[in-house]
């Protein structure tokens, strides 16, 4: 083993959430006029509405769908949808990684609605053709902890009776989403946007709004989950009048990220950057016999949260591997998720530069050789 160390990535931020900031990000560039002001002030409401408008524009979201900024990150947004809309008809939950399992737990143990549960192991996906669409269906568009994504939206029928609930937090801004197939979608700014945490985004299609206005669940709803009043949707939530007090600093940070995404070409360029990063990482994997993909099938392999296997590695080895890379300033937070099989997880979303993915390859060799020695 040589003492010569590889060239470091310019930005060694490969965490799968919170993710790398946009390449041009600097805290001094954030607009600060709204800070220290009420979110209900004229400027506060204007900035929140502008953030919503930017999300709609960058995501190419149709006018049929509403966008709300809600508490509790992606988890809060998804639970908000579950608790307000489920129970009207049978439910199917799909789980192939830990966050999907979380929605199963909510449905079974908290809401007690006895759903049909379709599971697959890490790296696999359930048989989507077997989904009964007379049910409401809960799924993750991109499983952040397993690196498995759905292969598009063709499996979701146009004439579905139930609602489609997509946890899309590590898919939006990186993967093509057919919004006509999505009744409910959720995400958080700290994933593909490279924004800050704590806030979730809830997207409702017209069929979801119809459910909210026609159905009252049997269980009590906390204040932060309530989206209707007198049987009508509270439209203000989807115009920037948030249910609880948001961080205007986080909102300004999200606006910065969205303006950057818009400036480079919007969703299409964001997806292209993520695809280029995933391809660069795949080249690294293909060139090394000791590295592999947890997701063997490229058709369902994520282009954002890419999960890798390491020959013979257990959790202790991976922990040492990730620590060595962090200590060297070569890569931060690349150990796989705690519930996933031992391995690495490299974020390849659009806020990462492809050159930094390419620079990571020699450092993976460095860590592998050092630990094997």
């Amino acid at each position: 083993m040589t003492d010569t160390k590889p060239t470091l990535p310019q930005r060694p931020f490969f965490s799968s959430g919170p993710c790398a900031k946009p390449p041009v990000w600097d805290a001094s560039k954030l607009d600060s006029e709204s800070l220290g002001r009420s979110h209900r002030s004229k400027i506060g409401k204007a900035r929140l509405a502008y953030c919503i408008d930017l999300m709609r524009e960058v995501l190419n979201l149709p006018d049929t769908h509403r966008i709300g900024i809600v508490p509790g990150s992606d988890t809060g947004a998804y639970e908000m949808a579950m608790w307000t809309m489920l129970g009207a008809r049978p439910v199917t939950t799909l789980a192939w990684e830990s966050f999907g399992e979380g929605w199963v737990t909510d449905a079974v143990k908290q809401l007690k609605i006895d759903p049909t549960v379709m599971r697959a192991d890490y790296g696999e996906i359930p048989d989507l053709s077997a989904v009964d669409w007379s049910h409401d269906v809960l799924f993750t568009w991109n499983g952040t902890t397993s690196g498995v994504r759905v292969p598009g939206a063709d499996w979701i029928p146009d004439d579905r009776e139930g609602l489609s609930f997509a946890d899309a937090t590590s898919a939006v801004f990186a993967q093509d989403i057919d919004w006509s197939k999505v009744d409910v979608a959720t995400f958080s700014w700290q994933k593909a946007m490279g924004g800050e945490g704590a806030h979730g985004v809830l997207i409702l299609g017209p069929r979801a709004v119809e459910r909210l206005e026609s159905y009252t669940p049997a269980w009590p709803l906390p204040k932060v989950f309530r989206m209707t009043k007198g049987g009508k949707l509270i439209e203000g939530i989807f115009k920037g009048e948030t249910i609880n007090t948001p961080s205007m600093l986080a909102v300004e940070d999200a606006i910065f990220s969205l303006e950057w995404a818009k400036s480079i070409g919007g969703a299409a360029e964001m997806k292209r950057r993520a695809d280029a990063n995933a391809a660069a990482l795949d080249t690294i994997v293909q060139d090394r016999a000791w590295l592999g993909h947890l997701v063997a099938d490229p058709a369902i392999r994520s282009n954002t949260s890419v999960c890798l296997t390491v020959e013979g590695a257990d959790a202790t080895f991976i922990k040492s591997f990730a620590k060595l890379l962090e200590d060297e300033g070569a890569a931060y937070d690349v150990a796989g998720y705690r519930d996933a099989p031992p391995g690495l997880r490299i974020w390849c979303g659009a806020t990462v530069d492809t050159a930094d993915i390419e620079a990571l390859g020699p450092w993976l060799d460095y860590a592998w050789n050092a630990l094997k020695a």
Side-chain angles (χ1 to χ4, degrees):
M1 179 179 164
T2 177
D3 291 332
T4 303
K5 295 180 180 179
T7 302
L8 289 167
Q10 291 290 312
R11 295 188 306 135
F13 302 103
F14 302 109
S15 163
S16 290
C19 301
K21 310 299 284 184
V24 297
W25 186 88
D26 188 283
S28 66
K29 296 179 181 178
L30 300 185
D31 192 310
S32 61
E33 191 178 0
S34 68
L35 305 187
R37 297 294 306 274
S38 169
H39 63 297
R40 296 190 178 93
S41 67
K42 182 177 179 180
I43 187 172
K45 288 194 288 187
R47 295 301 278 176
L48 284 158
Y50 177 52
C51 185
I52 288 173
D53 289 344
L54 278 173
M55 286 189 283
R56 180 179 302 281
E57 182 178 359
V58 175
L59 287 174
N60 299 314
L61 196 73
D63 291 340
T64 53
H65 287 57
R66 292 166 170 85
I67 307 174
I69 298 169
V70 300
S73 193
D74 176 64
T75 300
Y78 205 81
E79 290 187 334
M80 197 171 175
M82 289 180 66
W83 284 69
T84 54
M85 285 179 254
L86 294 186
R89 59 172 53 245
V91 175
T92 290
T93 58
L94 307 180
W96 55 84
E97 48 93 54
S98 62
F99 286 102
E101 280 293 341
W103 312 139
V104 172
T105 298
D106 269 15
V108 173
K109 295 186 177 180
Q110 305 303 323
L111 299 179
K112 304 183 188 305
I113 55 178
D114 192 25
T116 298
V117 181
M118 297 175 63
R119 288 186 170 92
D121 291 336
Y122 276 82
E124 304 291 338
I125 200 168
D127 179 5
L128 300 179
S129 67
V131 173
D132 182 352
W133 280 100
S134 68
H135 292 198
D136 291 334
V137 179
L138 280 60
F139 68 98
T140 50
W141 196 284
N142 183 96
T144 313
T145 65
S146 71
V148 172
R149 63 175 170 181
V150 295
D154 289 347
W155 62 287
I156 304 173
D158 292 328
D159 61 349
R160 60 192 176 278
E161 297 174 48
L163 300 180
S164 59
F165 291 72
D167 172 356
T169 196
S170 53
V172 290
F173 305 104
Q175 297 169 17
D176 291 324
I177 295 179
D178 181 349
W179 294 108
S180 70
K181 301 295 185 78
V182 176
D183 299 307
V184 177
T186 63
F187 68 91
S188 52
W189 293 334
Q190 77 262 28
K191 286 290 198 294
M193 279 172 52
E196 290 301 300
H199 299 75
V201 176
L202 176 64
I203 297 175
L204 301 180
R207 299 177 74 248
V209 174
E210 181 184 15
R211 173 72 61 83
L212 284 168
E213 293 184 337
S214 63
Y215 166 70
T216 301
W219 42 80
L221 292 176
K223 178 182 178 181
V224 293
F225 284 3
R226 297 173 203 157
M227 291 184 280
T228 60
K229 186 175 183 179
K232 290 295 182 183
L233 189 72
I234 302 173
E235 293 286 358
I237 295 171
F238 304 93
K239 297 176 181 177
E241 297 170 19
T242 54
I243 294 174
N244 71 334
T245 306
S247 162
M248 293 308 297
L249 183 58
V251 171
E252 293 298 344
D253 187 78
I255 287 172
F256 183 95
S257 296
L258 289 161
E259 288 181 333
W260 169 77
K262 179 180 175 180
S263 74
I264 65 171
E269 178 61 13
M270 294 280 277
K271 178 180 181 294
R272 188 205 64 77
R273 285 176 61 93
D275 286 344
N277 290 338
L281 184 57
D282 182 56
T283 296
I284 291 170
V285 172
Q286 300 304 327
D287 287 345
R288 289 155 178 82
W290 54 273
L291 266 182
H293 285 288
L294 179 61
V295 183
D297 182 0
I300 59 169
R301 185 183 302 153
S302 174
N303 65 342
T304 56
S305 55
V306 183
C307 297
L308 306 180
T309 59
V310 178
E311 183 182 280
D314 58 13
T316 300
F317 184 91
I318 293 298
K319 184 176 181 180
S320 298
F321 197 105
K323 183 178 184 302
L324 188 156
L325 292 173
E326 180 170 343
D327 289 348
E328 293 284 353
Y332 299 143
D333 312 315
V334 295
Y337 192 72
R338 60 180 179 270
D339 295 335
L344 304 174
R345 182 174 58 162
I346 313 296
W347 183 257
C348 290
T351 56
V352 173
D353 289 321
T354 303
D356 288 332
I357 295 286
E358 292 168 343
L360 182 61
W363 278 101
L364 297 179
D365 293 331
Y366 181 89
W368 170 256
N369 291 327
L371 293 173
K372 282 297 181 179

